[in-house]
Amino acid sequence: MKIIKVNLVLDTPIRFKYSDGTYVEYIITENPFDSGSYGAHVSFGDACNSVEVYFPRHSTLSHKYSVNGRVFKLRLNVEK
């Protein structure tokens, strides 16, 4: 399992581009009813290939998710 670190920037697409033209884009949202709880929409190359990533309540390390048979977690970098 690989842990991917992403800066906590709410409601703003964060895109990582690769030399072969592909990309991964993250949009992190905060639960409007529970401040400090997050979710992420992760797109791969286009909107047709995407996954929703969920985080345990008040955690910056997500639940596991899989893409093409590989398992990942997201870790949010929170700057104070």
Side-chain angles (χ1 to χ4, degrees):
M1 175 177 47
K2 181 175 181 175
I3 296 176
I4 301 168
K5 295 178 182 175
V6 179
N7 289 333
L8 177 57
V9 178
L10 294 176
D11 304 316
T12 302
I14 299 170
R15 183 178 285 196
F16 297 101
K17 291 178 125 179
Y18 300 97
S19 60
D20 64 359
T22 60
Y23 66 88
V24 177
E25 183 176 271
Y26 304 91
I27 301 175
I28 311 237
T29 57
E30 187 172 33
N31 183 336
F33 305 107
D34 188 11
S35 181
S37 294
Y38 304 100
H41 179 82
V42 184
S43 299
F44 309 93
D46 59 50
C48 297
N49 298 315
S50 62
V51 64
E52 299 300 319
V53 178
Y54 300 100
F55 292 77
R57 188 170 187 226
H58 298 279
S59 176
T60 57
L61 183 63
S62 75
H63 291 290
K64 294 178 188 176
Y65 68 99
S66 63
V67 177
N68 294 333
R70 295 183 63 198
V71 178
F72 303 91
K73 283 188 176 186
L74 290 180
R75 176 171 303 281
L76 300 176
N77 293 326
V78 181
E79 294 189 22
K80 295 182 180 189

